[in-house]
Amino acid sequence: MKLEGYFGATMLAAALSITSVSALAQESSYTPGTVWQFSSIQVEPGQFEKYVDYLAGNWRKINELGKKEGMVVSYHVFTVNDARKDEPDLILAVEYKDYYSNAQQLALQKKIEAMLASDAHKMDAASGERKVMRKLVGNMQLQELQLK
């Protein structure tokens, strides 16, 4: 191969690699959005009103504190119409601003305990007491992709 042919082929290869690198360097078609936590709940027979009372009480208070602290964006309770066998009756959805470190989660936990005049042991026991009202049948965590 002549030197000119080699030089031309090298330049062509360099130009193609620069083009493909710049194509890879383009921005993505999305940006990461908020983080959602979905909990699937089966309510035990005769316990629906009692469980919704809990949701309207402490569960709401906890999420309102999360909003005040800037961690929770929104929270929702969805009922599943015509749930089939082994499907949840309710879906609890909490939208978080972002993922949080252990330190941030523990700091919020301390504020929740203070607000509820409780501690981790009492809150764990209370969760066990709600077992007569409901069964947690699954959790799912998703992150929204905001399309550009």
Side-chain angles (χ1 to χ4, degrees), residues 10-71:
T10 303
M11 291 305 292
L12 178 60
L16 289 174
S17 69
I18 289 171
T19 303
S20 63
V21 168
S22 65
L24 292 175
Q26 290 179 349
E27 285 192 38
S28 178
S29 297
Y30 70 91
T31 56
T34 56
V35 176
W36 288 79
Q37 178 72 37
F38 294 95
S39 299
S40 300
I41 307 292
Q42 282 182 335
V43 180
E44 297 295 340
Q47 297 294 315
F48 188 84
E49 292 297 327
K50 189 175 179 181
Y51 186 63
V52 173
D53 288 346
Y54 161 76
L55 295 174
N58 283 353
W59 189 79
R60 175 187 277 169
K61 287 178 187 175
I62 290 167
N63 285 298
E64 285 296 324
L65 178 62
K67 284 176 76 170
K68 181 181 172 190
E69 295 295 317
M71 296 175 83

